[in-house]
Every structure is written in C-alpha cells, then in structure tokens.
Amino acid sequence: MAPEDDARMDGRALMDWARESVRALESHRDEINALNVFPIPDSDTGTNLVFTMRAAVSALDDLVASGPVGEAPGVHQIAVVLARGSVVGARGNSGVILSQVLRGLAEAAVGEHMDSAGLGTALRMATNLVSDAVSYLVEGTIVTVLRCAADAIAGIDPGTPVARTAAVAADAAAEALVRTPMQLEVLGRAGVVDAGGLGLVVVLDALVKALSGHAPDRDFARFRPRGNLPAAVARRGDSTPGDHAPGDGAHAHDHAGHDHAGGDAQGMDFEVMYLVSRTDDTGIADLRERLDALGDSVVIVGDGRGSWSVHVHCRDAGAAVEAGLGAGDVRGIRVTSFLLESHRSGEAGRVSHRSGEAGRSSPVLPSPEDLSRAHTRPERRRRGVMAVAAGDGAAELFTGEGATVLRCDEPITRGQLLGAIRKMERSEVLVLPNGALPAQELVAVSAAARDSDHEVLLLASSSMVQGLAALAVHDVSRDAGDDAFTMSEAAAATRWGSLRIAAERALTYVGTCEPGDGLGLVGHEVIVIDPDPRRAVRRLVDLLLGTGGELVTILLGADAPAGIGGELTEYIEHGHPGVEVMVYEGGQPGDLLQLGVE
C-alpha cells in the first residue's frame, strides 16, 4: 500500500512531519519575513516559526534518544513532547500559535496512531485553543487560516486516508491565505498576504509531504511583495516613524492579538515574553486581565502540562513581568524594544541586515549615504558581550572569551550594570547576568539601556557556569537575535548546581540543616544536606548526572576545600565513565564551587 493510501498516521510519520516542517520553514524563512507590513514592515515571522519548530524537534530528539533504539514512540507521546517543546521555545505571536497547533495534536491523539477524524479534531482543538489564548482576534491572520483548514476537514470519514485529509486541510489553508488581503485592510494596501498564515500553509504542506511522499505544488513567489512597500504602509501614516529593534520582531507578524481598537502596536514600547509555571486557570485568568490593562496583543497559551507561554506588547515591561511573578514561577524572560525613540529630524532610519540581505525596507527608506555608513561602521560599534562575574579566575575566563566583565564579588546595583553597558560603546550588547540581579531589575536595566544607537539583549544565565556555556557558542557573525537565542539555549541546556556551607540552622525542602553542614543546591534549591561537604558534593554530582551528561565544568571558589577539584575529577571518571571533566579556579566568594553539566 502506498503511503498516501494509509488510513492512519503513526509515530514515525509524525516525527517525519516535525523535521520536514523545520526544513520547509527554513527554506521559506526569507519569503515569510518579507511579507510583514503590520504594524511595521520589517519583522521576523519566518525566523520565529523556525526557532519555535526547532525547539519542538529538539524536545523530540531528547525523547528518541532516551527510548529503545530503533523504536518510534506513538503519536500521543510524540505530540505531547512536541507541544511542550514548542511552548517553551515559542518566539513571537506566530510561534505561540504554532505551539497550539502542536498542542491540538497532543490533545486529540489518544494512542499509537491518528486517523483522519483525529486530525480533524486536532485542528479544531488548535483553533479553539488559539481563540481562547488571544484576547482580541483580528480576521485575515494566521488564526483565520487555521480555522479554515479545520473547517475543511470537519466531520470527515475516519476511513479516509490521512494523507488525503491533510491535503484537503492544506489546500483550504492556502485558499484562505489568498483571501487575507481582503480581510485585513493593511494587507490589501500593501498587496501581500499574512506572513503567519503563509507559515502555517508551509507547515501543513510539510505534513502532506511526510504522509504522502510529495508536497503540494504551490507558487509561493506570487505572495512576495512587488518592489518596495507602499509609502503609506511603510510610514504607518498616523504615527511617528520609529525603528524596530532587530531580534524577535514578533509584534509585526501575524496580528492575531492586537489591540481591540483594531489597530496596531502604536504607543507600545516593548514586547515581553516569558514562561509561567506553578499556577492554575484562575491565576492565568487574573494574569490576562492585568496584561490587558497594561497593553495589547496579549496571547497566553499552555502546553497542557502546567507551563504557560505569555506574550504582550506594553509600555511598562517591568510591570508586565511583575504581573507574571504574581501568577506563578516566571522564567525565560525576553524583552524586545518595540518602538524606539523618534528619529532625529531628517534621519532616514536604520538599515537592518539579516540572513545576508542588505537594504531591506525600514520604517523610513534609507538614503545611499545611510547605507554607506551602515557598511563602514567602526569596529567599536560591533556587538559585545557583558558578563557579570565574581572572583579573579572567573573574571579571567570570561575576559579570555572576549567578554567585558562587571565584577560582582560584592552585590551590584542595576545602576552599576547600566553604567557598565553604556561604557562598552557597542551598538549591540548581549548581557550574561549570571544570577547577579533579580529578573525585574534586569528588565529595568535592559529597557533603560536601549536607545536609537544601542540594542541590549538579556540572556537567561542564572550562574557563571551557564554563562560560560553560553559564551562558548557566541558568534558575532550571526544576527543579534539569533546569537542571543542560541546562547540562551546553551545556558538553558546546562544543568547547574553549587556547594555551600550552611551559616545557620535553617529549614529546607529536604530537611533542617545545621551550621557548618555542606549544602548541595540544584539551581536555587537545596537538595542535599550532609555534615561532610566533600560527601555532599559527591551526592550532588550523582544527582546532576543521573539524567545524563557529557561534560562537567567545575568552577572552584575562593574557599573550596584543598584538592577537591582532583577528587571530584577522579570520582566522576570512575563513577560516570565517558563524562569529561573541566576544572577551573574561579575564586568566587560564597559558593565553594559551581557545577555545570552539559
């Protein structure tokens, strides 16, 4: 039986679809990016979709690596993992909505296979999830395209080959995409289709290819804007021209949740995204209400397993983060400038360079002189990395990797961090805070540091060992947003712990510690208490390596017990064969040592 005649989809086909989606989105990334005209014509929808789907596939790869060799998990198990990975790694509105397509699959899948009826249920559930997630729906967007795909296969015969059903859904999505310029006025004025909607068609076509062996033949070139975008669209008519900071750019792509006045992101300075856990439906409802009062384009989606991805455009980034802190545990905070300060009189606007393309339209088209200056920018204006570090050895490690170091042997203030960033005289600054300041303080620093000449991106590093892992993959030749995302991924993939000595009697999650006890922490939580610090750190190592690892980085503190580095190296080599160990003299106060596991 040919693949296209199969009545059901199995786990292997679903895995093929996830990976084919990444390849297809990468292939069409530039086409999708070029379509953004609302609210400003320079964005990264294709990039956001690629990174979101990559995050889903990365979670899938972890699942496959941990399972029996040669066996493919069932549809339900795969769909759940894809949904969770995409929610955690979602970038921008369209990435958030794509995560709900995957969650719809997870909610509809009940076993090892999925038939045509199940696929229809999945798209319907995805539509409902997105409709619930977006505060104010706008027609002519990715949400419209998704709904039309779901409507096309509603009530389909379960015996219909699933490849044929997928093709019907993809064709319906493509037809809906063509109608988006007639539904959303700004698209019609520009003569383009919705960028997020095109991304969804690409993903559905990838499903068809995974199930049948061949993708639908579509003329995507006809969706490209002809020449420069119309001046009325490029200047947004009723607003002061402004630069859009490079990076996520998600506010401009799919417009699924813009302000209920029916307009754009006018007046909103920041895009804020983060993940919330340890909350419930009531907490999320209260969070949505608070964010609706703070700004617009509010989208909150869950992975069905207790984690929520939050997105909002607002003027007060700190208040948006504080709202999340009131709802539950917040992590993965990302703040992007939405509308930078107005241009100086006569200034033509910044030129954006992405994926090797020069001269793409800015909010105001650049002059030849502007282009020349962009290509001859002095070396001192290139990207730099600011790392917060404690201890002479740790500072030397970061400096040796090209970072500018702000010492935090004593507690630092946000004013000190802001001043250090400004002294760097770099147009793009990636900040590795390494746990030195709380999230709300960092958001305030990032917001204050940005201006028309500087883009500041905060990376999610909670310790120096995570910061070192992030710095190892730093690549100045990449787009700043891509570089920051890759570095943040490296930091997040590094499990970290530390060894401390209890200063006083205290109650922890694992019992009561006495003064002088060795405390083993994973992240910020005590998980080991032992009167012998050397024994405590060995137990900590076993726990950190219990879920695997290939490299352990040990950063020795100023008060580390003599010889502890060599002892731990020998212990790991004997107890965990194949794991590489790197030991450095950090010299940091407080932690006797920090451990990073990659």
Side-chain angles (χ1 to χ4, degrees):
M1 180 182 293
E4 59 265 32
D5 295 328
D6 290 343
R8 299 186 300 172
M9 171 172 57
D10 61 13
R12 195 168 299 280
L14 187 56
M15 289 194 296
D16 290 345
W17 166 71
R19 295 189 171 103
E20 178 60 31
S21 291
V22 172
R23 288 191 290 269
L25 287 169
E26 288 174 341
S27 176
H28 294 287
R29 181 198 320 220
D30 291 341
E31 294 172 82
I32 298 171
N33 284 343
L35 291 174
N36 286 131
V37 298
F38 180 74
I40 52 178
D42 182 17
S43 195
D44 297 322
T45 301
T47 301
N48 291 331
L49 289 169
V50 167
F51 276 117
T52 301
M53 202 66 208
R54 280 180 184 169
V57 171
S58 177
L60 173 61
D61 290 340
D62 291 342
L63 171 68
V64 172
S66 64
V69 177
E71 288 187 22
V75 167
H76 175 71
Q77 188 178 7
I78 292 173
V80 168
V81 169
L82 289 173
R84 295 184 68 179
S86 64
V87 168
V88 170
R91 289 184 64 175
N93 267 346
S94 58
V96 168
I97 290 171
L98 175 59
S99 76
Q100 295 308 279
V101 175
L102 299 177
R103 184 182 168 192
L105 282 168
E107 298 288 344
V110 293
E112 300 294 310
H113 300 83
M114 175 176 283
D115 60 13
S116 287
L119 181 58
T121 301
L123 291 187
R124 176 57 58 203
M125 294 187 76
T127 303
N128 293 338
L129 288 167
V130 170
S131 298
D132 291 341
V134 177
S135 291
Y136 301 98
L137 292 170
V138 176
E139 288 299 322
T141 68
I142 184 175
V143 182
T144 306
V145 176
L146 174 61
R147 185 178 64 243
C148 290
D151 288 345
I153 60 174
I156 199 164
D157 185 343
T160 303
V162 70
R164 193 177 307 167
T165 302
V168 171
D171 288 345
E175 293 171 4
L177 178 67
V178 174
R179 295 193 295 269
T180 56
M182 294 175 278
Q183 296 170 310
L184 193 57
E185 182 181 359
V186 68
L187 299 179
R189 291 203 310 267
V192 297
V193 296
D194 179 67
L198 176 56
L200 180 61
V201 173
V202 169
V203 169
L204 292 175
D205 281 352
L207 177 60
V208 176
K209 182 176 181 179
L211 294 172
S212 68
H214 52 82
D217 183 16
R218 305 206 194 279
D219 180 16
F220 286 112
R222 68 190 175 116
F223 297 136
R224 295 172 186 162
R226 294 179 295 278
N228 291 326
L229 294 173
V233 175
R235 293 186 172 87
R236 297 173 56 206
D238 58 352
S239 62
T240 302
D243 286 340
H244 167 48
D248 194 295
H251 58 276
H253 54 56
D254 61 61
H255 358 301
H258 289 289
D259 65 287
H260 37 287
D264 51 357
Q266 182 180 354
M268 297 299 146
D269 298 319
F270 302 105
E271 177 189 60
V272 180
M273 292 190 71
Y274 50 79
L275 298 169
V276 178
S277 58
R278 295 190 183 181
T279 187
D280 53 25
D281 291 342
T282 300
I284 291 299
D286 291 343
L287 175 59
R288 182 186 299 279
E289 184 176 347
R290 292 186 64 182
L291 294 179
D292 280 336
L294 285 171
D296 59 44
S297 197
V298 177
V299 185
I300 305 178
V301 300
D303 65 355
R305 298 296 187 276
S307 290
W308 302 79
S309 179
V310 178
H311 174 281
V312 63
H313 299 159
C314 60
R315 292 178 177 173
D316 189 341
V321 174
E322 288 177 7
L325 293 171
D329 289 352
V330 173
R331 59 191 174 92
I333 300 170
R334 185 165 63 245
V335 179
T336 302
S337 287
F338 189 68
L339 187 63
L340 301 180
E341 67 179 31
S342 299
H343 284 281
R344 299 180 182 93
S345 177
E347 186 177 359
R350 178 161 45 190
V351 180
S352 183
H353 298 275
R354 297 192 181 97
S355 304
E357 295 182 12
R360 183 178 296 169
S361 299
S362 324
V364 178
L365 297 178
S367 67
E369 290 77 16
D370 293 321
L371 288 171
S372 176
R373 284 195 297 270
H375 285 291
T376 58
R377 180 177 293 169
E379 177 67 22
R380 70 182 183 89
R381 303 295 293 164
R382 293 183 63 200
R383 186 179 315 151
V385 177
M386 165 66 68
V388 183
D392 293 340
E396 290 178 6
L397 287 172
F398 283 104
T399 302
E401 292 297 322
T404 299
V405 172
L406 172 64
R407 293 290 291 267
C408 64
D409 301 72
E410 298 292 335
I412 63 170
T413 66
R414 65 184 184 184
Q416 289 173 310
L417 178 56
L418 177 61
I421 292 171
R422 286 175 171 167
K423 286 180 182 178
M424 289 181 67
E425 295 187 345
R426 299 294 182 103
S427 59
E428 297 170 341
V429 179
L430 308 184
V431 180
L432 293 167
N434 298 336
L437 285 171
Q440 54 267 40
E441 295 283 287
L442 294 171
V443 168
V445 169
S446 178
R450 290 187 177 99
D451 58 29
S452 60
D453 295 320
H454 301 87
E455 174 64 10
V456 178
L457 299 174
L458 294 171
L459 279 64
S461 61
S462 299
S463 64
M464 289 193 292
V465 286
Q466 283 190 321
L468 290 170
L471 195 55
V473 298
H474 168 52
D475 185 351
V476 73
S477 67
R478 283 192 292 248
D479 173 88
D482 291 350
D483 195 21
F485 184 79
T486 302
M487 293 174 69
S488 291
E489 276 195 320
T494 302
R495 301 189 301 280
W496 72 280
S498 57
L499 175 67
R500 300 175 186 172
I501 299 297
E504 58 185 3
R505 192 171 193 269
L507 179 64
T508 75
Y509 283 116
V510 292
T512 301
C513 65
E514 301 293 340
D517 282 348
L519 304 180
L521 292 83
V522 171
H524 301 288
E525 298 293 343
V526 175
I527 64 169
V528 173
I529 299 175
D530 197 300
D532 182 356
R534 296 176 185 269
R535 191 165 58 225
V537 74
R538 291 195 295 269
R539 290 171 57 190
L540 176 63
V541 164
D542 289 337
L543 289 170
L544 283 170
L545 287 173
T547 55
E550 299 176 355
L551 171 66
V552 175
T553 300
I554 301 174
L555 200 60
L556 299 175
D559 298 320
I564 190 69
E567 292 175 16
L568 281 179
T569 299
E570 183 177 355
Y571 180 78
I572 294 170
E573 288 176 347
H574 282 83
H576 303 275
V579 176
E580 184 180 358
V581 184
M582 303 292 290
V583 181
Y584 300 100
E585 293 286 346
Q588 70 273 10
D591 292 340
L592 299 186
L593 55 83
Q594 285 189 8
L595 297 168
V597 177
E598 302 174 56

